[in-house]
């Protein structure tokens, strides 16, 4: 980069600030990710950041103090001095490399001598994922006993999410492409007005549409079916789809179109053989948008699927878990990650198309 | 005989052509009807199907994608059988009508229907005029809701823009541009519900005698403070802890647009300013910012719309308790929890009214571009 030559702006400052911001952005997700692999008891007893190697006090020696010591006064063990109350909390020795803790009550307690050691490799487990995916009741065979504990059925919700999302991405694409071509390359009365309607509808809040559509769905017995969500997402996604594809298709070179028309090709043929293949990047960016939007959607699913069992998508299951098992962090962290894995993969592998779609001017 | 009467021959050939043409048209029409019936039946089959979920989904993709393609194809062929004057009129209809029908049914028409519902009472049986709107603008709980939406817009949008600009400007000068951008961008792929879980873990609070497993409270305790229930305390500032989540998610969007805009600022202008001895801050504020002002407006509009409609985060984090309700959650609570259909509809209409300025701005921008 030529910019950097003679740049008076300290490069160190740039990089340090950037690293700090990136860490701030990364740490929340990292916490979730790390915690999802920690055993349940460890999640509840220590922060996830303690997996970073650090010095911890480890008990090296334990003894019953001499019964003759005055337990109401100041006592000294291994160079650490303090009253009973202080010792209960732990007192470090004068040179700081030992700590003494009184365990138990005043009369019959014991004394632990601790030394600092590096924390070992953190315990990891896949049990959380098993619990969150396997079903409502999970039995785990411990060494001694077989324990039943409550899990979650997120595997089922994962399949539901796929069943909801893929058709909701595929169905609107072709419809939007036809319409975008029509608006871009055909002349018909009312063209501008109708397209203005599309642009206006880009920002219309879904809330406005939920209730009337829901009323009709009840009459059609569509409530709680995948179909309900596919059709709704098709309708809600079309303005953005038409807008994005229009932006792309209307900039295709005029000469190509005119040459095709002179050759006597019909609009349908031009669209099918020429425009659709040329528009692949725009189609891809809309597909990613729609995928992320539908997969991550909570509101539409909540309204049109409601509490019908067996159809619930991931966002609904996860939100339910937050409500009903708010402190079961071993389930919430694993469940959260399960809900994110597919969009993250798609996002990072197709980021190029996503960015192109964003910069093409979306105002959803 | 044919040799003797070429006229008759031509006529009969023409008749045969016309007949074939008509037969083809009838055949296309028939196949169109069959396709429509099959698709229609497919609708019910899909609605009532008990087959494995992924099979249903796969079938739906074929039904939706393939069915659309076939209907378009047949409709187009039918149009091609009509005289060319009609063709010119009908082809655009075939192309744009399905999308328009969907959008009108799912978005435009419901706006009207919701508006009508907003003029009726809680179960839609009595006309009450504007009474629901009076409730919306006078009830204390609604005023809290509006205050929160203002907080969301002011803090959500401004922090998103500041961070977006900062990261875009810094990344542009760093060797780790792509990595940094990917990290900032990543939250955009996550659902708001998932982000809610992530941040709920950060804000987690436990009894002061327990070890704090929430990062924020652990930091506070490490510095000798008392653990706090961040999203319940200090109203209305607890809203800020929810707003942070959306800033975290939307900064990536702002950064991408700003980054593209900054890169398109002509380098010779910047170089010239540098030669004239302008400092980096001066260059940033008096050259770069003015030249990307259009993008700043676009990003602001998008983020404001997004924060106006915010729903998932609030519902997952607090359910609207502790004075954190926003318009969208209030709509949900009034309509689906309290079953006050009139008031719920009125809130939805108010939400629509708040986005109208952005709608008008979008239309203006679009018209300007089209006339160029």
């Amino acid at each position: 980069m030529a910019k950097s030559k003679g740049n008076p702006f300290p490069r160190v400052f740039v990089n340090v600030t950037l690293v700090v911001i990136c860490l701030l952005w990364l740490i929340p997700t990292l916490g979730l990710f790390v915690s999802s692999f920690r055993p349940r008891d460890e999640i509840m007893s220590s922060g996830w950041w303690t997996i970073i190697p650090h010095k911890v006090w480890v008990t090296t020696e334990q003894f019953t103090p001499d019964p003759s010591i005055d337990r109401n006064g100041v006592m000294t063990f291994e160079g650490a001095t303090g009253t009973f109350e202080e010792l209960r909390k732990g007192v470090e020795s004068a040179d700081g490399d030992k700590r003494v803790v009184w365990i138990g009550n005043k009369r019959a307690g014991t004394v632990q001598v601790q030394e600092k050691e590096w924390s070992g490799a953190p315990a990891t487990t896949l049990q959380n994922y098993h619990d969150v995916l396997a079903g409502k009741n999970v039995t785990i065979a411990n060494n001694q006993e077989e324990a039943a504990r409550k899990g979650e059925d997120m595997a089922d919700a994962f399949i539901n999410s796929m069943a909801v999302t893929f058709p909701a991405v595929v169905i609107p694409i072709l419809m939007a492409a036809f319409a975008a071509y029509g608006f871009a390359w055909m002349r018909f009365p009312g063209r501008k007005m109708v397209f203005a309607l599309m642009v206006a509808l880009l920002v219309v809040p879904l809330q406005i549409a939920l209730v009337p559509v829901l009323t009709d769905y009840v009459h059609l017995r569509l409530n709680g079916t995948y179909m309900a969500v596919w059709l709704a997402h098709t309708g809600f996604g079309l303005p953005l789809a038409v807008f994005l594809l229009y932006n792309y298709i209307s900039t295709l070179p005029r000469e190509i179109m005119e040459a095709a028309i002179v050759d006597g090709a019909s609009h349908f043929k031009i669209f099918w053989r020429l425009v659709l293949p040329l528009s692949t990047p725009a189609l891809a960016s809309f597909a990613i948008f729609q995928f992320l939007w539908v997969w991550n959607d909570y509101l539409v699913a909540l309204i049109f699927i409601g509490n019908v069992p067996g159809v619930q998508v991931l966002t609904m299951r996860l939100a339910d878990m937050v409500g009903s098992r708010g402190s079961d962090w071993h389930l919430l962290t694993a469940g959260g990650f399960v809900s994110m894995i597919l969009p993250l993969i798609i996002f990072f592998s197709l980021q190029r198309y996503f960015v192109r779609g964003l910069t093409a001017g979306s105002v959803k | 005989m044919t040799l003797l009467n070429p006229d008759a021959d031509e006529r009969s050939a023409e008749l045969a052509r016309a007949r074939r043409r008509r037969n083809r048209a009838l055949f296309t029409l028939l196949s169109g009807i069959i396709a429509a019936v099959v698709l229609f039946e497919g609708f019910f089959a899909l609605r009532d199907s008990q087959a494995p979920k992924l099979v249903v989904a796969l079938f739906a993709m074929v039904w939706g994608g393939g069915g659309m393609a076939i209907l378009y194809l047949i409709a187009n062929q039918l149009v091609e059988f009509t005289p060319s004057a009609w063709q010119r009129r009908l082809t655009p209809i075939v192309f744009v009508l399905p999308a328009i029908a969907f959008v009108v049914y799912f978005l435009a028409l419901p706006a009207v229907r919701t508006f009508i519902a907003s003029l009726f009472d809680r179960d839609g049986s009595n006309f009450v005029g504007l009474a629901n709107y009076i409730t919306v603008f006078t009830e204390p709980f609604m005023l809290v809701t509006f205050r929160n939406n203002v907080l969301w817009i002011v803090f959500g949008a401004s922090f998103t823009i500041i961070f977006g600009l900062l990261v875009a400007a810094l990344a542009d000068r760093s060797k780790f541009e792509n990595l940094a951008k990917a990290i900032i961008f990543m939250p955009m792929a996550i659902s708001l519900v998932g982000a809610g879980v992530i941040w709920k873990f950060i804000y987690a609070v436990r009894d002061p005698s327990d070890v704090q497993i929430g990062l924020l409270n652990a930091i506070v305790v490490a510095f000798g403070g008392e653990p706090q229930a961040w999203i319940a305390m200090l109203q209305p500032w607890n809203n800020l802890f929810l707003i942070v989540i959306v800033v975290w998610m939307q900064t990536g969007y702002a950064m991408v647009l700003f980054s593209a805009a900054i890169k398109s600022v002509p380098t010779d202008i910047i170089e010239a300013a540098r030669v004239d001895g302008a400092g980096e801050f001066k260059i940033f504020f008096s050259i770069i910012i003015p030249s990307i002002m259009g993008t700043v407006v676009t990003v602001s509009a998008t983020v404001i719309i997004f924060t106006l409609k915010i729903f998932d985060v609030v519902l997952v984090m607090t359910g609207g308790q502790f004075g954190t309700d926003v318009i969208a959650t209030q709509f949900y609570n009034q309509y689906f929890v309290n079953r006050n259909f009139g008031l719920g509809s009125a809130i939805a209409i108010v939400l629509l009214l708040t986005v109208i300025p952005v709608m008008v701005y979008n239309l203006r921008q679009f018209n300007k571009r089209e006339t160029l």
Side-chain angles (χ1 to χ4, degrees):
Chain A
M1 281 232 215
K3 269 189 201 172
S4 59
K5 236 178 255 173
N7 186 346
F9 210 61
R11 173 139 292 203
V12 183
F13 173 78
V14 167
N15 282 332
V16 167
T17 320
L18 205 56
V19 165
V20 169
I21 295 178
C22 285
L23 277 180
L24 274 177
W25 248 251
L26 199 58
I27 281 173
T29 321
L30 191 69
L32 184 91
F33 183 67
V34 167
S35 296
S36 71
F37 291 104
R38 298 181 76 210
R40 177 163 80 160
D41 301 335
E42 300 224 351
I43 294 181
M44 298 313 284
S45 61
S46 60
W48 60 268
W49 50 91
T50 54
I51 63 146
I52 302 162
H54 58 289
K55 291 237 173 160
V56 287
W57 293 109
V58 177
T59 305
T60 50
E61 196 186 335
Q62 184 163 4
F63 58 86
T64 313
D66 190 339
S68 64
I69 296 177
D70 175 16
R71 293 175 188 210
N72 291 321
V74 173
M75 302 173 275
T76 301
F77 304 101
E78 305 275 341
T81 309
T83 62
F84 169 72
E85 280 73 24
E86 286 166 345
L87 284 165
R88 273 287 290 264
K89 288 183 186 139
V91 175
E92 284 183 33
S93 62
D95 51 1
D97 57 0
K98 275 186 183 170
R99 188 166 80 152
V100 173
V101 187
W102 188 289
I103 305 289
N105 65 23
K106 212 183 235 183
R107 292 174 58 84
T110 56
V111 169
Q112 281 186 352
V113 180
Q114 302 177 329
E115 275 174 46
K116 265 201 166 168
E117 276 175 26
W118 281 101
S119 62
T124 57
T125 177
L126 287 174
Q127 185 67 42
N128 301 338
Y129 285 94
H130 179 255
D131 283 4
V132 90
L133 290 171
K136 291 272 184 198
N137 291 302
V138 191
T139 38
I140 43 163
N142 267 341
N143 293 339
Q144 299 89 357
E145 67 206 82
E146 203 165 80
R149 66 192 217 198
K150 283 205 161 177
E152 281 294 338
D153 51 357
M154 283 201 113
D156 197 43
F158 195 91
I159 293 172
N160 287 336
S161 273
M162 288 204 281
V164 159
T165 307
F166 293 139
V169 173
V170 170
I171 295 173
I173 284 187
L174 197 61
M175 226 191 280
F178 266 105
Y181 176 86
F183 285 121
W185 294 101
M186 288 173 170
R187 293 291 170 268
F188 53 90
R191 182 183 73 100
K192 274 210 153 172
M193 271 228 333
V194 180
F195 196 75
L197 175 78
M198 286 277 177
V199 175
L201 290 176
L202 271 177
V203 292
V204 162
L206 290 186
Q207 277 80 2
I208 206 89
L210 296 178
V211 175
V213 173
L214 183 67
T215 317
D216 293 349
Y217 275 3
V218 172
H219 290 307
L220 288 166
R221 293 195 293 116
L222 269 178
N223 251 358
T225 64
Y226 297 135
M227 175 74 83
V229 193
W230 297 331
L231 294 180
H233 276 305
T234 302
F236 299 150
L238 269 174
L240 179 69
V242 173
F243 187 68
L244 275 183
L245 294 180
Y246 173 87
N247 280 343
Y248 191 88
I249 290 175
S250 64
T251 55
L252 291 175
R254 180 165 281 274
E255 303 81 62
I256 300 183
M257 299 291 173
E258 273 161 4
I261 292 172
V262 168
D263 287 351
S266 67
H267 274 302
F268 192 80
K269 229 179 214 152
I270 297 175
F271 173 78
W272 203 253
R273 297 265 169 82
L274 207 62
V275 173
L276 220 45
L278 283 175
S279 310
T280 323
L283 296 175
S285 54
F286 169 70
I288 298 163
F289 265 114
Q290 182 78 348
F291 173 85
L292 290 177
W293 168 249
V294 177
W295 185 272
N296 290 335
D297 159 76
Y298 177 50
L299 180 61
V300 174
L302 185 66
I303 304 295
F304 294 135
I305 290 178
N307 45 17
V308 176
V311 200
Q312 310 256 308
V313 294
L314 280 169
T315 45
M316 300 173 75
R317 291 294 327 132
L318 196 59
D320 275 359
M321 281 164 66
V322 172
S324 59
R325 344 246 328 218
S327 53
D328 286 351
W329 286 111
H330 64 293
L331 294 180
L332 283 173
T333 51
F337 199 68
V338 165
S339 79
M340 290 165 203
I341 182 76
L342 193 57
L344 281 177
I345 291 171
I346 292 199
F347 183 77
F348 279 115
S349 52
L350 298 169
Q351 201 181 354
R352 201 158 48 93
Y353 293 106
F354 185 77
V355 170
R356 196 177 299 170
L358 275 185
T359 42
S362 74
V363 264
K364 187 161 179 172
Chain B
M1 178 155 176
T2 45
L3 279 170
L4 288 175
N5 197 343
D7 274 4
D9 183 48
E10 216 163 81
R11 210 163 44 233
S12 74
E14 192 146 311
L15 267 173
R17 259 206 306 280
R19 204 180 305 127
R20 270 207 303 277
R21 204 176 136 83
R22 198 189 61 212
N23 285 346
R24 270 217 317 275
L26 278 176
F27 177 74
T28 316
L29 185 65
L30 196 68
S31 51
I33 292 168
I34 292 172
V37 169
V38 168
L39 275 174
F40 193 65
E41 286 301 316
F43 173 89
F44 290 104
L46 279 168
R47 185 188 70 178
D48 303 327
S49 170
Q50 301 295 322
K53 288 160 184 175
L54 285 181
V55 176
V56 174
L58 216 62
F59 181 62
M61 286 161 75
V62 177
W63 172 82
M68 279 301 148
I70 289 168
L71 279 188
Y72 275 110
L73 180 74
I74 290 171
N76 189 70
Q77 282 205 322
L78 276 178
V79 167
E80 275 175 16
F81 286 119
T82 62
S84 66
W86 275 93
Q87 251 184 59
R88 229 169 294 133
R89 252 173 270 167
L90 289 175
T91 318
I93 295 181
V94 171
F95 272 67
V96 298
L97 192 66
I100 292 171
F102 255 87
V103 166
V104 166
Y105 173 73
F106 277 99
L107 289 166
L109 198 58
V112 179
R113 293 168 71 184
T114 303
F115 175 68
I116 293 170
S118 75
L119 302 174
F120 285 82
D121 65 356
R122 58 183 305 136
D123 56 1
S125 50
N126 297 307
F127 182 80
V128 293
L130 295 177
N132 287 319
Y133 290 93
I134 293 168
T135 311
V136 166
F137 288 111
T138 53
E139 282 292 323
F141 69 88
M142 284 306 303
L143 299 181
V144 170
T145 302
F146 288 127
R147 177 204 68 195
N148 291 345
N149 267 94
V150 170
L151 285 176
W152 274 91
I153 291 175
V154 170
F155 289 100
S158 51
F159 279 113
T160 302
I161 298 208
I162 290 168
F163 274 113
L165 266 177
L166 185 64
V167 177
L170 290 176
D172 195 39
R173 298 147 188 273
S174 169
K175 274 185 196 151
F176 317 105
E177 176 168 1
N178 288 332
L179 179 67
K181 279 182 172 177
I183 289 172
I184 306 291
F185 208 32
M186 188 268 301
M188 285 209 82
I190 295 174
S191 67
L192 286 155
V193 177
V197 170
I198 289 179
W199 284 86
K200 217 165 179 165
F201 194 39
I202 290 189
Y203 296 150
V205 61
R206 301 170 95 196
D207 197 78
S209 60
D210 278 341
V211 179
Q212 296 298 325
I213 58 168
L215 182 59
L216 192 55
N217 273 319
I219 292 172
V220 167
V221 169
F223 282 103
E226 284 276 305
Q228 304 284 332
W230 301 105
I231 53 177
M233 302 275 301
L234 281 171
Q235 296 168 23
W237 305 114
N238 56 345
N239 280 293
L240 293 183
F241 290 100
L242 304 188
I243 294 172
V244 164
I245 303 174
V246 165
V247 172
W248 179 70
M249 295 189 79
Q250 292 283 296
T251 295
Y253 163 76
M255 172 203 72
V256 165
L257 289 205
F258 288 147
S259 183
I262 288 175
K263 283 189 198 310
S264 66
V265 175
T267 37
D268 42 347
I269 300 182
I270 295 171
E271 286 302 324
R274 240 179 232 141
V275 170
D276 289 347
E280 289 298 308
F281 281 105
K282 191 159 171 85
I283 289 175
F284 185 74
F285 285 107
S286 36
I287 295 178
I288 293 181
I289 294 275
S291 37
I292 64 168
M293 214 52 215
T295 312
V296 174
V297 174
T298 310
V299 172
S300 313
T302 311
V303 175
I304 286 174
I305 291 272
F306 187 84
T307 46
L308 264 174
K309 296 195 264 192
I310 199 74
F311 171 77
D312 313 25
V313 166
V314 178
L315 203 68
V316 169
M317 297 296 282
T318 63
Q321 287 176 288
F322 320 118
T324 56
D325 252 324
V326 288
I327 302 179
T329 55
Q330 196 62 261
F331 159 80
Y332 178 79
N333 285 335
Q334 291 303 331
Y335 201 99
F336 292 97
V337 182
N338 287 349
R339 304 231 140 244
N340 189 339
F341 300 155
L343 185 58
S345 302
I347 295 171
I349 293 291
V350 170
L351 186 56
L352 176 65
L353 293 179
T354 56
V355 303
I356 280 185
V358 180
M359 201 185 274
V360 171
Y361 172 79
N362 275 349
L363 283 172
R364 279 226 189 109
Q365 287 299 105
F366 187 74
N367 275 337
K368 222 188 276 171
R369 209 182 57 186
E370 281 301 270
T371 49
L372 281 177

